[in-house]
Amino acid sequence: FAIYQHMLEDFLADSTYFEQHPAHVSYSLLCTSMGNQVLKEYLIKREKRGIDLVPAYDRIIMIGSDAACNSFEAGKGFHNITEMTGSVSILVNRKDGPLSMSQYMNMTNRLGKEGPTNIEKLPKNIRVYDITGLISWEDLPAMGHDYLLRNSAIRDSLLFSELQFQESQKRKSE
Protein backbone atom coordinates (compact mmCIF):
# COMPACT_ATOMS: atom_id res chain seq x y z
CA PHE A 1 0.00 0.00 0.00
CA ALA A 2 2.82 2.41 0.85
CA ILE A 3 4.31 2.13 -2.66
CA TYR A 4 0.93 2.79 -4.28
CA GLN A 5 0.28 5.74 -1.97
CA HIS A 6 3.67 7.26 -2.73
CA MET A 7 3.09 6.91 -6.49
CA LEU A 8 -0.37 8.49 -6.19
CA GLU A 9 0.99 11.43 -4.19
CA ASP A 10 3.74 11.98 -6.78
CA PHE A 11 1.18 11.86 -9.57
CA LEU A 12 -1.12 14.36 -7.85
CA ALA A 13 1.84 16.71 -7.33
CA ASP A 14 2.69 16.67 -11.06
CA SER A 15 1.60 20.18 -12.07
CA THR A 16 2.85 19.70 -15.64
CA TYR A 17 0.42 16.84 -16.20
CA PHE A 18 -2.52 18.76 -14.77
CA GLU A 19 -1.71 21.83 -16.89
CA GLN A 20 -2.22 19.68 -20.00
CA HIS A 21 -5.11 17.51 -18.76
CA PRO A 22 -8.38 18.16 -16.94
CA ALA A 23 -7.81 18.68 -13.25
CA HIS A 24 -11.12 17.13 -12.26
CA VAL A 25 -9.83 13.72 -11.21
CA SER A 26 -11.53 11.91 -8.36
CA TYR A 27 -9.98 9.10 -6.31
CA SER A 28 -11.75 6.96 -3.75
CA LEU A 29 -10.22 4.24 -1.61
CA LEU A 30 -12.32 1.21 -0.68
CA CYS A 31 -10.96 -0.84 2.22
CA THR A 32 -12.60 -4.13 3.15
CA SER A 33 -12.02 -6.34 6.17
CA MET A 34 -8.28 -6.58 6.97
CA GLY A 35 -7.54 -3.88 4.38
CA ASN A 36 -8.69 -1.39 7.02
CA GLN A 37 -6.06 -2.76 9.38
CA VAL A 38 -3.41 -2.38 6.65
CA LEU A 39 -4.44 1.26 6.16
CA LYS A 40 -4.37 1.87 9.93
CA GLU A 41 -0.88 0.38 10.32
CA TYR A 42 0.32 2.45 7.35
CA LEU A 43 -0.99 5.64 8.97
CA ILE A 44 0.64 4.78 12.30
CA LYS A 45 4.04 4.11 10.67
CA ARG A 46 3.81 7.26 8.58
CA GLU A 47 3.09 9.34 11.67
CA LYS A 48 5.99 7.74 13.61
CA ARG A 49 8.32 8.68 10.76
CA GLY A 50 7.01 12.26 10.74
CA ILE A 51 5.67 12.07 7.17
CA ASP A 52 2.72 14.41 6.66
CA LEU A 53 -0.44 13.09 5.07
CA VAL A 54 -1.39 14.39 1.64
CA PRO A 55 -5.04 14.89 0.60
CA ALA A 56 -5.04 12.21 -2.12
CA TYR A 57 -8.60 10.86 -1.92
CA ASP A 58 -12.01 12.40 -2.24
CA ARG A 59 -13.50 9.59 -0.18
CA ILE A 60 -12.38 6.58 1.84
CA ILE A 61 -14.94 3.81 2.35
CA MET A 62 -14.47 1.25 5.13
CA ILE A 63 -16.48 -1.96 4.77
CA GLY A 64 -16.37 -4.87 7.22
CA SER A 65 -13.51 -3.16 9.03
CA ASP A 66 -11.47 -5.45 11.24
CA ALA A 67 -9.81 -2.47 12.94
CA ALA A 68 -10.62 -1.81 16.61
CA CYS A 69 -13.54 0.49 17.43
CA ASN A 70 -11.21 2.97 19.13
CA SER A 71 -9.10 3.42 15.97
CA PHE A 72 -10.26 7.04 15.54
CA GLU A 73 -8.97 8.07 18.96
CA ALA A 74 -5.68 9.99 19.24
CA GLY A 75 -2.64 7.83 18.48
CA LYS A 76 -4.72 4.84 17.30
CA GLY A 77 -4.17 5.19 13.55
CA PHE A 78 -7.28 6.74 12.03
CA HIS A 79 -7.30 9.89 14.19
CA ASN A 80 -5.81 11.99 11.37
CA ILE A 81 -7.27 10.15 8.35
CA THR A 82 -9.26 13.22 7.32
CA GLU A 83 -5.96 14.88 6.35
CA MET A 84 -5.77 12.50 3.37
CA THR A 85 -9.44 12.54 2.30
CA GLY A 86 -12.48 14.73 1.95
CA SER A 87 -14.74 12.22 3.69
CA VAL A 88 -14.80 8.79 5.31
CA SER A 89 -17.75 6.39 5.16
CA ILE A 90 -17.85 3.52 7.67
CA LEU A 91 -20.31 0.70 6.94
CA VAL A 92 -21.39 -1.26 10.03
CA ASN A 93 -22.94 -4.73 9.87
CA ARG A 94 -23.92 -6.04 13.29
CA LYS A 95 -24.55 -9.52 11.78
CA ASP A 96 -20.95 -9.95 10.54
CA GLY A 97 -19.83 -13.42 11.72
CA PRO A 98 -16.08 -13.16 11.06
CA LEU A 99 -15.95 -9.82 12.88
CA SER A 100 -17.68 -11.49 15.85
CA MET A 101 -14.88 -14.07 15.87
CA SER A 102 -12.29 -11.30 15.54
CA GLN A 103 -13.82 -9.51 18.52
CA TYR A 104 -13.47 -12.68 20.55
CA MET A 105 -9.88 -13.31 19.41
CA ASN A 106 -8.74 -9.69 19.85
CA MET A 107 -10.83 -9.11 22.98
CA THR A 108 -12.00 -5.76 21.60
CA ASN A 109 -14.95 -4.60 19.52
CA ARG A 110 -14.38 -4.27 15.76
CA LEU A 111 -15.16 -1.12 13.79
CA GLY A 112 -17.16 -2.90 11.07
CA LYS A 113 -19.43 -4.61 13.60
CA GLU A 114 -19.95 -2.01 16.34
CA GLY A 115 -18.93 1.29 14.74
CA PRO A 116 -16.44 3.76 16.20
CA THR A 117 -16.31 4.68 19.87
CA ASN A 118 -17.13 8.27 20.82
CA ILE A 119 -19.01 8.77 17.58
CA GLU A 120 -20.17 12.22 18.72
CA LYS A 121 -16.54 13.41 18.72
CA LEU A 122 -15.84 12.39 15.13
CA PRO A 123 -15.40 15.15 12.52
CA LYS A 124 -18.51 15.81 10.44
CA ASN A 125 -16.87 14.40 7.32
CA ILE A 126 -16.72 10.95 8.91
CA ARG A 127 -20.07 9.24 8.45
CA VAL A 128 -21.23 5.93 9.90
CA TYR A 129 -23.89 3.86 8.11
CA ASP A 130 -25.52 0.87 9.78
CA ILE A 131 -26.31 -1.50 6.92
CA THR A 132 -27.40 -4.40 9.13
CA GLY A 133 -30.97 -4.09 7.85
CA LEU A 134 -29.79 -4.60 4.27
CA ILE A 135 -28.16 -7.96 5.04
CA SER A 136 -30.26 -10.76 3.54
CA TRP A 137 -30.42 -14.53 3.97
CA GLU A 138 -28.29 -14.86 0.83
CA ASP A 139 -25.47 -13.08 2.65
CA LEU A 140 -25.42 -15.48 5.59
CA PRO A 141 -23.72 -18.53 3.98
CA ALA A 142 -20.50 -16.50 4.02
CA MET A 143 -21.30 -15.52 7.62
CA GLY A 144 -22.43 -12.07 6.57
CA HIS A 145 -18.94 -10.80 5.73
CA ASP A 146 -18.83 -10.71 1.94
CA TYR A 147 -21.98 -8.65 1.49
CA LEU A 148 -20.20 -6.26 -0.86
CA LEU A 149 -19.84 -9.14 -3.34
CA ARG A 150 -23.15 -10.90 -2.69
CA ASN A 151 -25.64 -8.13 -1.90
CA SER A 152 -26.73 -5.99 -4.85
CA ALA A 153 -28.68 -3.58 -2.60
CA ILE A 154 -25.49 -2.68 -0.75
CA ARG A 155 -23.44 -2.43 -3.95
CA ASP A 156 -26.08 -0.28 -5.61
CA SER A 157 -26.50 2.03 -2.62
CA LEU A 158 -22.73 2.37 -2.34
CA LEU A 159 -22.43 3.20 -6.02
CA PHE A 160 -25.38 5.59 -5.83
CA SER A 161 -23.94 7.40 -2.81
CA GLU A 162 -20.56 7.61 -4.60
CA LEU A 163 -22.22 9.16 -7.67
CA GLN A 164 -24.10 11.62 -5.43
CA PHE A 165 -20.82 12.46 -3.69
CA GLN A 166 -19.01 13.07 -7.00
CA GLU A 167 -21.86 15.27 -8.21
CA SER A 168 -21.74 17.37 -5.03
CA GLN A 169 -17.95 17.74 -5.43
CA LYS A 170 -18.43 18.96 -9.01
CA ARG A 171 -20.94 21.58 -7.84
CA LYS A 172 -18.54 22.77 -5.15
CA SER A 173 -15.71 23.24 -7.66
CA GLU A 174 -17.88 25.22 -10.13
Side-chain angles (χ1 to χ4, degrees), residues 1 5 14 30 45 63 66 90 101 137 143-144 165 168:
F1 180 81
Q5 183 67 25
D14 185 352
L30 175 68
K45 288 180 181 178
I63 299 176
D66 195 35
I90 304 165
M101 289 184 267
W137 284 106
M143 301 179 70
F165 175 77
S168 70

Side-chain angles (χ1 to χ4, degrees), residues 29 31 39 57-62 81 84-85 87-89:
L29 177 64
C31 295
L39 177 61
Y57 303 99
D58 294 307
R59 184 177 183 202
I60 294 177
I61 305 164
M62 300 176 163
I81 196 169
M84 68 186 301
T85 185
S87 72
V88 177
S89 298

Side-chain angles (χ1 to χ4, degrees), residues 30-37 61-67 89-93 96 98-99 102 110-113 131 144-148:
L30 175 68
C31 295
T32 62
S33 195
M34 289 298 293
N36 291 274
Q37 193 68 15
I61 305 164
M62 300 176 163
I63 299 176
S65 177
D66 195 35
S89 298
I90 304 165
L91 279 67
V92 174
N93 171 15
D96 194 309
L99 291 182
S102 180
R110 309 321 282 166
L111 186 61
K113 184 164 172 60
I131 61 165
H145 192 66
D146 69 348
Y147 41 87
L148 181 62

